[in-house]
Amino acid sequence: MIDPKLQTELREKFNPDGSNLRNAQLRMLNILKYVDYVCKQNDIPYWLSSGTCLGAVRHGGFIPWDDDVDIEMLEEDYDRLITILENQKSDEFALQTHKLDKNFHYDFAKVRDKNSLIEEVSEIDKQYKYRGYFIDIFPLIPSGSKKLHYWCGRLRVLEYYIRKWCLNHKGLKPFIIPPYRLITKTIIAISKRLDIIGSSTQIRHTLGSAFIKPRDKKDIFPLRTIKFEDVELPIPGNADSYLRKLYGNYMEMKIDHIHIKP
């Protein structure tokens, strides 16, 4: 973790108590605690990922200027969690997948806060059933091909722009579903069978995701816990290797083009 004095200075600059960003982070933390509870109750392994993991290691919680939460898990554990959350009623939180919200066209899930409202700049969320604060849950699959992930991701981006265009033109909404089904049920389904070839211990976000950097199971398991804000949460066992492969020298911060070396 960085020097506590520097951490205090960063908090005061970017997310002081009572600021909009800090309030949003605390809302997302509540969602994360809920998902953590469900996972622990059902022996479902997961870990803080990407910038959330970086925040845990470097800042002991949120990166002060960060506004999202990401967690990862293996696909088989993801499928179990989704089934449990589908059947678990909550007054505070809602699971969002394409199955439960037909206008949500992503290959991962969100858990949202029911009692808030945020608006995406792209306005693609106008048709969503739930639009509150959220955390992202990413399933990871065995992956031996960077190219397959790249091109499936490009197809999903194309589908995104088709969907956005159709939403902005009256009468074209029915044309949103065919591209999604073609990509999901055919192209991604076939590519997934090919992607496992040569994967060994390498895993990636499921096909269709924009995130194509690989992870290595040897860096992730066994998991360990770390303090994130006011709670102990799981991260990859070799978080240093995991983060270096994603970000390089992750302890060096680049803020407004000013380099900070703790």
Side-chain angles (χ1 to χ4, degrees):
M1 185 173 167
I2 63 173
D3 178 74
K5 183 180 178 181
L6 175 57
Q7 172 67 3
T8 299
E9 292 174 357
L10 293 173
R11 277 288 320 276
E12 288 176 353
K13 179 178 180 180
F14 291 100
N15 65 334
D17 290 340
S19 64
N20 289 338
L21 178 56
R22 186 58 179 165
N23 290 338
Q25 289 174 344
L26 294 176
R27 287 264 195 163
M28 290 183 283
L29 180 61
N30 283 338
I31 306 171
L32 180 57
K33 288 178 178 179
Y34 166 70
V35 174
D36 175 71
Y37 173 80
V38 173
C39 286
K40 286 178 178 175
Q41 289 295 108
N42 294 278
D43 296 317
I44 297 175
Y46 81 93
W47 55 94
L48 304 183
S49 66
S50 306
T52 310
C53 179
L54 192 159
V57 172
R58 195 173 69 191
H59 300 274
F62 286 97
I63 297 173
W65 51 92
D66 203 5
D67 63 356
D68 71 347
V69 171
D70 299 326
I71 67 173
E72 296 172 342
M73 59 184 61
L74 299 180
E75 185 181 47
E76 57 267 30
D77 297 315
Y78 173 88
D79 290 341
R80 284 203 297 138
L81 176 62
I82 295 305
T83 298
I84 292 166
L85 291 176
E86 283 178 345
N87 295 300
Q88 186 159 310
K89 304 301 180 184
S90 170
D91 293 331
E92 293 184 74
F93 309 110
L95 175 67
Q96 189 169 45
T97 63
H98 178 67
K99 177 182 175 182
L100 299 176
D101 185 346
K102 296 304 181 185
N103 292 307
F104 182 79
H105 286 205
Y106 292 102
D107 302 280
F108 57 91
K110 295 179 184 287
V111 174
R112 288 193 180 261
D113 171 36
K114 288 183 178 180
N115 302 308
S116 60
L117 172 67
I118 58 174
E119 296 180 350
E120 295 185 24
V121 175
S122 67
E123 298 186 343
I124 200 71
D125 61 330
K126 279 188 173 181
Q127 305 295 319
Y128 288 176
K129 184 177 181 181
Y130 298 107
R131 301 176 66 195
Y133 288 110
F134 62 86
I135 71 169
D136 292 323
I137 306 175
F138 294 101
L140 272 65
I141 62 173
S143 171
S145 175
K146 181 179 179 179
K147 287 184 178 180
L148 276 175
H149 276 259
Y150 174 82
W151 286 111
C152 285
R154 294 301 90 197
L155 284 172
R156 186 62 83 207
V157 169
L158 174 62
E159 185 262 333
Y160 164 86
Y161 283 110
I162 292 172
R163 175 163 33 108
K164 185 176 179 180
W165 188 78
C166 289
L167 287 173
N168 290 331
H169 292 79
K170 290 183 179 181
L172 294 181
K173 189 175 178 181
F175 293 95
I176 293 174
I177 297 300
Y180 176 83
R181 286 179 176 168
L182 173 64
I183 294 169
T184 305
K185 302 297 184 181
T186 305
I187 298 174
I188 287 181
I190 294 172
S191 298
K192 195 172 180 180
R193 293 179 179 272
L194 298 173
D195 195 29
I196 197 171
I197 299 171
S199 58
S200 185
T201 60
Q202 184 170 269
I203 52 180
R204 283 188 174 91
H205 285 197
T206 192
L207 287 155
S209 168
F211 309 105
I212 64 174
K213 283 192 176 181
R215 281 80 163 131
D216 193 320
K217 283 186 177 181
K218 291 184 289 186
D219 292 335
I220 296 171
F221 300 106
L223 299 170
R224 64 183 176 93
T225 59
I226 194 172
K227 187 175 181 181
F228 185 88
E229 299 292 339
D230 62 352
V231 63
E232 291 281 329
L233 296 174
I235 62 171
N238 190 347
D240 179 68
S241 179
Y242 172 91
L243 290 171
R244 287 188 184 280
K245 289 174 182 176
L246 291 179
Y247 303 111
N249 181 12
Y250 61 90
M251 292 301 290
E252 181 177 349
M253 292 171 281
K254 298 177 182 178
I255 307 168
D256 297 331
H257 305 292
I258 299 174
H259 291 243
I260 299 177
K261 296 183 178 180

